[in-house]
Amino acid sequence: LLSWRFMRDVNVGIVGLGNVGSGSLTILTANSGEIARKLGFRLNVRGLCSRTIRTKSLPAGVGEVFTTTDWFELVTHPDIDIVAELVGGTTVAHQVVDEAIRHGKSVVTANKELMADCGLEIWSAASQAGVHLAFEASVCGGIPIHHVLRDGIAADRIQTLFGILNGTCNYILTEIERRQAKFDDVLREAQALGYAEADPTADVEGYDARSKLALLATLAFGQRTRVADIYTEGIRRISPEDFEYAAQLGYTIRLLCGARRSADGIRVSVRPALIPKDAILASVHGGYNAVWVRGAHGQDTFYYGKGAGPEPTGVAVVSDMMRLARDVRERRCQLSSPFAYQTLEPARILPIEDERKPWFLRFRVKDRPGIIAALATTLAEWAVSVDAVLQLPAKDKQNLPFVITVEAAPEHAIRAAVRKMGDYDFMADAPLALPMETGV
Ligand SMILES: NC(=O)c1ccc[n+]([C@@H]2O[C@H](COP(=O)([O-])OP(=O)(O)OC[C@H]3O[C@@H](n4cnc5c(N)ncnc54)[C@H](OP(=O)(O)O)[C@@H]3O)[C@@H](O)[C@H]2O)c1
């Protein structure tokens, strides 16, 4: 047994050689010596699969590797111990993961969508098959946030988690803020630079961040949180004026992902929100991600890093491979849950509509006397008190922006008031309501 333990290397196979697959492969080859010294054995790349595969473009030092365009061949190959699913999506990727598990391979994946959708079922199949599952790279690419929740602060009882989980949205918002540029212009530039997809829907509508938050809330609270539980709003309507008004109030705007636990359940949301300029999350610019966690005992901790990109995400993938390689090599049968809790409870989701917060209401109106009085009367009908009215000089009186901030009020009252205000004939555009998150 002793000689087997010291002799045997662990072999990995990668399915999908796009951004993350190629980044992972670069790390596995460029760092192979360092990785072997850390592990005490070698982590070999044994097989590579992608829809199109050019052996000439593989990195030097990749070693003895077979290549295939047929993922089934890779996941059933007898030499492979660990399969990395780096295809993305929920169709082929799901099959790759299922078949790998069925054939006794441990699995590493970067797939937030698949894991948020049916990660628990996949984990259940993996544990029945006696194989390991890891998906660190699925949330915040380069930030080891799974590791933190699963191990680093596992002893704590997490109360609140706030994050900036989508680098594309954060890049767009911080560029709008920096240059007073319009959303559409910044999005086009981000697409040209490769920071945003040709179809940006998943990013700008908040769906990508929602999958990540579903996973983080599950790991933080041990309650299975599904994407459908999460109130989600995108960033398309955020304009340079919103940042100007927010700045006057000492705030900025971020796509804020929040998960809060109370005695009765949890509240989860992904939405653009005002956050104080001196909040630690306000210092997160460009494509960076961050997660701020408050525990009942350990109090506040903060994690920051690149949210995506081939090599930052590749580090997460390969680090997962290294962790699983130790278990595979030791033939460890005690499997620890990648969800941080050995058993998850169903989530008790509380409606966000009941939460009381101050609000920032931005209007665009066709100017005429009596507008403020009409809006204040409507707010009063729902018992909402006006805090301040802000109006910057503007030339276009047919599309005049201004802001009303209101004192803490429940979201259902704000929604009802905004619906009614949207019907006034002086409105040039639907009002925009953003919560002011004072507690971040
Ligand atoms: N990009 C990031 O920075 C990042 C960060 C964190 C997590 N992730 C996650 O990582 C995963 C991969 O993302 P990515 O950006 O690397 O995607 P990508 O660049 O589109 O790469 C996907 C790869 O999978 C291959 N592929 C597609 N269908 C296949 C099939 N049937 N058989 C074999 N290979 C197939 C593609 O081949 P072709 O090139 O021939 O189409 C491509 O090489 C996704 O789950 C994503 O959410 C990405």
Side-chain angles (χ1 to χ4, degrees):
L1 176 68
L2 205 63
S3 65
W4 176 83
R5 284 181 55 178
F6 284 96
M7 293 295 293
R8 191 174 179 271
D9 293 340
V10 172
N11 293 331
V12 299
I14 300 178
V15 186
L17 288 175
N19 289 305
V20 181
S22 58
S24 305
L25 187 58
T26 302
I27 290 158
L28 281 161
T29 50
N31 262 1
S32 61
E34 192 83 359
I35 290 170
R37 277 208 306 136
K38 284 181 178 164
L39 289 173
F41 58 89
R42 297 198 77 78
L43 190 60
N44 298 322
V45 182
R46 185 71 189 84
L48 295 172
C49 165
S50 207
R51 244 183 338 208
T52 42
I53 190 153
R54 280 174 290 276
T55 32
K56 275 197 192 138
S57 60
L58 296 179
V62 71
E64 215 178 286
V65 61
F66 75 87
T67 58
T68 175
T69 54
D70 176 7
W71 60 262
F72 193 79
E73 186 190 347
L74 187 138
V75 304
T76 54
H77 198 286
D79 288 355
I80 287 182
D81 303 297
I82 299 172
V83 170
E85 179 283 301
L86 303 174
V87 172
T90 53
T91 52
V92 175
H94 200 167
Q95 293 170 324
V96 169
V97 169
D98 280 354
E99 288 298 333
I101 290 170
R102 223 163 59 77
H103 287 84
K105 318 293 184 190
S106 288
V107 172
V108 172
T109 173
N111 195 327
K112 69 219 91 171
E113 213 186 337
L114 182 64
M115 286 299 114
D117 256 20
C118 47
L120 201 59
E121 290 71 24
I122 291 171
W123 165 236
S124 160
S127 51
Q128 275 170 33
V131 298
H132 305 267
L133 172 70
F135 49 98
E136 177 70 67
S138 62
V139 181
C140 297
I143 309 175
I145 189 66
H146 285 212
H147 180 78
V148 164
L149 297 173
R150 229 182 32 239
D151 296 313
I153 57 169
D156 212 342
R157 178 177 167 82
I158 294 165
Q159 308 285 41
T160 313
L161 180 151
F162 279 107
I164 293 176
L165 305 182
N166 184 276
T168 305
C169 286
N170 207 55
Y171 172 82
I172 293 173
L173 290 176
T174 53
E175 284 300 293
I176 296 176
E177 178 173 35
R178 195 171 67 82
R179 302 186 271 135
Q180 288 80 50
K182 288 206 167 84
F183 173 87
D184 289 331
D185 297 338
V186 180
L187 173 60
R188 259 195 303 278
E189 286 168 26
Q191 285 169 320
L193 291 167
Y195 298 159
E197 303 279 340
D199 177 1
T201 312
D203 288 324
V204 302
E205 298 299 346
Y207 306 147
D208 170 88
R210 179 177 64 178
S211 295
K212 294 168 179 169
L213 185 67
L215 290 171
L216 288 188
T218 303
L219 270 97
F221 305 133
Q223 298 186 19
R224 186 184 191 177
T225 311
R226 295 170 183 274
V227 291
D229 296 327
I230 301 177
Y231 173 80
T232 305
E233 209 180 291
I235 62 163
R236 278 188 196 274
R237 299 199 61 213
I238 305 300
S239 66
E241 290 92 350
D242 297 322
F243 279 101
E244 277 183 68
Y245 284 112
Q248 287 215 332
L249 297 160
Y251 284 75
T252 184
I253 302 168
R254 294 287 184 270
L255 182 69
L256 192 66
C257 304
R260 289 80 88 194
R261 162 152 67 180
S262 66
D264 305 324
I266 62 175
R267 286 195 170 85
V268 269
S269 57
V270 172
R271 68 191 321 172
L274 267 72
I275 60 174
K277 265 204 175 287
D278 57 4
I280 194 161
L281 285 170
S283 63
V284 180
H285 291 268
Y288 278 88
N289 280 191
V291 186
W292 173 76
V293 185
R294 171 166 289 172
H297 306 281
Q299 300 176 14
D300 295 5
T301 54
F302 183 72
Y303 311 92
Y304 173 84
K306 278 279 182 198
E311 293 195 28
T313 313
V315 170
V317 169
V318 178
S319 301
D320 265 354
M321 287 176 176
M322 290 170 68
R323 193 164 53 82
L324 297 201
R326 290 191 183 98
D327 292 338
V328 165
R329 194 163 174 277
E330 300 281 336
R331 297 194 171 154
R332 198 164 284 155
C333 324
Q334 174 64 40
L335 303 175
S336 54
S337 168
F339 286 99
Y341 289 72
Q342 288 301 111
T343 51
L344 292 175
E345 294 168 357
R348 281 172 292 136
I349 302 293
L350 302 174
I352 58 162
E353 291 89 333
D354 297 344
E355 253 187 326
R356 291 179 68 84
K357 284 185 186 138
W359 289 82
F360 169 100
L361 309 177
R362 190 258 289 148
F363 305 93
R364 288 183 195 283
V365 296
K366 298 169 211 156
D367 200 16
R368 67 163 208 224
I371 288 180
I372 302 283
L375 297 178
T377 306
T378 310
L379 288 166
E381 279 172 37
W382 275 276
V384 176
S385 304
V386 171
D387 179 43
V389 179
L390 288 88
Q391 189 180 344
L392 294 165
K395 287 198 191 92
D396 184 356
K397 301 292 179 200
Q398 288 308 297
N399 189 15
L400 187 68
F402 69 93
V403 162
I404 296 180
T405 59
V406 300
E407 288 172 7
E411 183 156 355
H412 58 75
I414 297 296
R415 285 193 196 175
V418 163
R419 239 187 333 268
K420 176 158 181 196
M421 294 189 287
D423 289 339
Y424 284 124
D425 60 0
F426 54 73
M427 282 294 165
D429 190 11
L432 174 75
L434 301 177
M436 298 170 77
E437 288 287 356
T438 48
V440 293

